[in-house]
Structures are given as structure tokens and as C-alpha cells.
Amino acid sequence: ARYEGRLAALQALLGRGVAPPLQSIPDVVAGGAVGWLGGSFVASSWIEAMLLQFGAGLPMAYGRVAPPQLYEMLELHVYYRAIADRGLSIERRGESNLLAHVLRDLASGAGGASPQGGGASLYVGHDTNLDGLSALLGLGWPAAPPYPANTTVPGGMLRLTATAAGGATAVCASFLYTRFEDASGGMAEVDALFPTGKPCISLVQLTQLAAAVVDKRCVRLPAPSAS
């Protein structure tokens, strides 16, 4: 009932058009790049456009939507992406290569745990990559105020930091994002939680977690350099 209510509220904000109301357009599984079509897809597309408008400082939905309304409507977008883009079989094919590279960097010290003080690897991607990594690792950020849980916003990033201590390496996850309150680019940070319910696990645990989901047929790591 809450979902249908959100669809109806979004339709009311957008106004009446030639298409049927969002809440009356049935959702169907289809082939092609999208895969899941219907009212949920249309709503998600509208909300993503509003999110990009918000980030660019433009009026949202022809000036009909204010930030507090966007925050509420984002639940529709998160829901659609959870169904259409975070399926494990989909993400194993799409993001195994990225996860394998991330693990390699964390294990080699590029995630901050090298004896020389560590380094950093920066991967530039899309919300689909954030969704993919979080789906493969069971990660989630239950709160990212003012956004609802597990929102991927423009400029958002997932950070994995490796820290060596006592002969072991721990990996901690966090989600960074901007609220677009001004042009400073300042970012807020919240914990991203593993299936354990905690933001940190050992590198050994992370490697085991990844080994259970990475499809090696989709991995393309460079050959080790000659010593």
C-alpha cells in the first residue's frame, strides 16, 4: 500500500498526461537492456531525472517538486533498482571483474594497508557499479540522511579502507555522498554494513565472501609483472 501510495503521489506531482496513471501501468519482465518495464520503471526514470536536476541546481519536474518531496519519492527509485539492477545472477556477470580488481588492490596495500603507509585506488563508475558491488558483498547503508537507505546519488562513492594491525588486515566500508546544499562539494559519510551488520570485517572474511560470488569467467586481471 505504501508503494502504490508513493506512485500516486508522484503522479499527482507530475500532473495528468496522455499516458495512464503510473500506479495503473502494470510491471512486466521484458527482454533487452531494461528487463523490467511498467509503472515502476517510468517512476524510477522520472525520479532519476529529478535527482540529476537537483544535483545540477535546476528546477525539478518543471518546478513542481521540492527537495523534501524528492527525498520521499527516492524510495521508489531505490526499490526499482533493487529489483532490476541488484539481482545476484546479474551482478555476478556485470561486476565480478570490478570486485576482483578491488580485492587485488586491498590485498596489495593500495587500499591503505601497506607497510609504507598505503595508497589508494579510485574507480570511476556509475550507480550500477555501486549497486553491483553492494549486491555482491551484501553491503547496505541503512541511513544516509536526508536520503532513504541504499540511495545512490550523483557523486556518491563507496569507500573500502584496509588497515593492518596485529598481523591481520581489517577492511571497513563507508558510503560518501553530497546533499547538494551548496556548491562546496562537501560530503557526508555513513557506515556501509556487511552481512555481519558491522562496517568492518577482516580481509580474509572479505576474500571468502567475494570468492563465493565472483564469476571467474568474467574476470580480466592483468598478468603479474616479472620480478
Side-chain angles (χ1 to χ4, degrees):
R2 176 171 174 165
Y3 183 73
E4 286 75 11
R6 286 274 191 263
L7 284 175
L10 176 59
Q11 183 65 67
L13 288 170
L14 295 174
R16 184 177 179 180
V18 296
L22 292 171
Q23 61 272 27
S24 69
I25 304 175
D27 291 325
V28 295
V29 176
V34 177
W36 193 39
L37 298 171
S40 296
F41 169 71
V42 177
S44 176
S45 299
W46 265 108
I47 294 165
E48 184 169 18
M50 294 177 199
L51 192 57
L52 294 172
Q53 290 167 343
F54 184 43
L58 300 173
M60 292 182 286
Y62 314 110
R64 299 176 180 177
V65 175
Q69 295 168 310
L70 173 66
Y71 303 147
E72 292 184 1
M73 295 301 136
L74 271 168
E75 289 187 351
L76 295 172
H77 185 52
V78 174
Y79 172 78
Y80 176 82
R81 294 194 62 81
I83 301 299
D85 297 307
R86 291 176 64 121
L88 185 58
S89 59
I90 296 173
E91 300 303 354
R92 290 189 69 197
R93 178 182 292 270
E95 305 300 333
S96 284
N97 190 49
L98 175 58
L99 179 54
H101 280 77
V102 170
L103 282 173
R104 179 201 60 181
D105 290 343
L106 289 170
S108 67
S114 74
Q116 293 75 28
S121 295
L122 181 65
Y123 293 89
V124 180
H126 301 273
D127 49 4
T128 51
N129 303 115
L130 291 174
D131 281 332
L133 286 178
S134 59
L136 290 178
L137 295 176
L139 279 168
W141 33 100
Y147 306 112
N150 298 320
T151 301
T152 54
V153 298
M157 64 180 72
L158 180 65
R159 179 163 66 187
L160 298 174
T161 305
T163 304
T169 300
V171 178
C172 295
S174 59
F175 180 69
L176 287 79
Y177 63 98
T178 180
R179 300 185 180 97
F180 301 112
E181 295 170 336
D182 52 44
S184 69
M187 304 189 80
E189 182 176 2
V190 295
D191 288 339
L193 305 181
F194 287 99
T196 59
K198 298 179 180 181
C200 300
I201 60 175
S202 71
L203 180 59
V204 172
Q205 289 176 301
L206 180 64
T207 302
Q208 292 171 342
L209 187 63
V213 293
V214 166
D215 188 337
K216 294 182 179 180
R217 297 171 298 178
C218 302
V219 174
R220 297 292 183 271
L221 288 172
S225 58
S227 58

